[in-house]
Amino acid sequence: MISAGNDIVCLSTINAARTNQYKFYSKILSDAEFPLYNEFSLAGIPFEIFVWLLWSVKESAYKFLQRHQPGLIFTPVKFVVTSLQLPAGLQLTSFGLPQLTGSGFDSTVAGIVNYDSFCLHSRSLLYNELIATVINGDSHFNHITWGIKVVDSDDTEKQSLEVRSFLIESIKEVFGEGNFRVDKNVHGCPVLVKNGEEMDVPVSLSHHEGFVGYSFPLPVL
């Protein structure tokens, strides 16, 4: 299945006390996912960050599947994360960059998430300020292009414009110059248009407070 899914969580806006309440996190985590926190606790990562990491993985997986299942409803506990592997010696550091882009991933949290009969793979970047997750249909991410950018507005409309412009910068590096824009299809999924023609390149966009991000797969040659 070819699709795209990503998500960003700005950690400065989360309510840690509320996140740690069972009434809140039980709407995100299933019982089977609680043992996954053991490795994170040993690494000194607070439970609230673990909760929002799983949210980010599940939201990304939902976006990935929604493109092919337009009627899909996002119910977090039905997206079950079965594996999360921390890179050796992980320590949370500050993002400290105006933007970060790449294709593939090196030192990230690798995960597996199941929904119904689908098994998807995730890669998540953790910083003091944010969580950024990208989803793929298998464990190979070398062809997945992604970006994270700091923006100076928390206005959602301005963030939407910023992330589209950010994505198109990357698209032009891959596909060359052209009149690109990002539209939405009838089901609300973002689609890439070049010179008036919709491209067969799925894209995913996200924004939360001071951060925006994108992901898309490179064409398979």
Side-chain angles (χ1 to χ4, degrees), residues 32 56 58 69 82 89 95 102 104 106 130 133 145 149 155 166 183-184 188 190 192 195 198-200 208:
S56 181
K58 295 173 184 223
Q69 298 185 41
T82 59
F95 185 63
D106 293 322
L130 74 136
T133 296
T145 296
K149 184 177 181 179
D155 180 82
F166 186 34
D183 288 343
K184 286 188 176 182
L192 189 62
N195 300 331
E198 182 177 332
M199 298 178 67
D200 190 21
H208 189 207

Side-chain angles (χ1 to χ4, degrees), residues 89-165:
L90 174 68
Q91 291 186 334
L92 299 191
T93 60
S94 294
F95 185 63
L97 296 168
Q99 66 182 54
L100 182 64
T101 61
S103 291
F105 294 92
D106 293 322
S107 182
T108 56
V109 179
I112 297 174
V113 55
N114 292 324
Y115 177 82
D116 199 9
S117 61
F118 297 98
C119 178
L120 304 175
H121 294 258
S122 66
R123 296 291 184 271
S124 299
L125 297 168
L126 299 185
Y127 293 94
N128 290 325
E129 302 90 346
L130 74 136
I131 299 168
T133 296
V134 173
I135 287 285
N136 191 32
D138 58 44
S139 61
H140 302 291
F141 280 75
N142 289 342
H143 69 297
I144 304 298
T145 296
W146 54 271
I148 305 166
K149 184 177 181 179
V150 179
V151 295
D152 60 4
S153 174
D154 59 4
D155 180 82
T156 56
E157 289 188 11
K158 290 182 179 179
Q159 289 177 345
S160 182
L161 292 173
E162 286 268 13
V163 72
R164 280 161 169 75
S165 176

Side-chain angles (χ1 to χ4, degrees), residues 19 22-31 33-34 50-56 58 74-81:
T19 302
Y22 177 79
K23 185 177 181 180
F24 180 87
Y25 67 70
S26 62
K27 297 177 182 179
I28 299 173
L29 275 60
S30 67
D31 291 342
E33 293 168 325
F34 285 96
F50 171 75
V51 172
W52 284 105
L53 170 63
L54 264 67
W55 168 275
S56 181
K58 295 173 184 223
F74 183 42
T75 307
V77 293
K78 292 185 178 181
F79 289 79
V80 180
V81 178

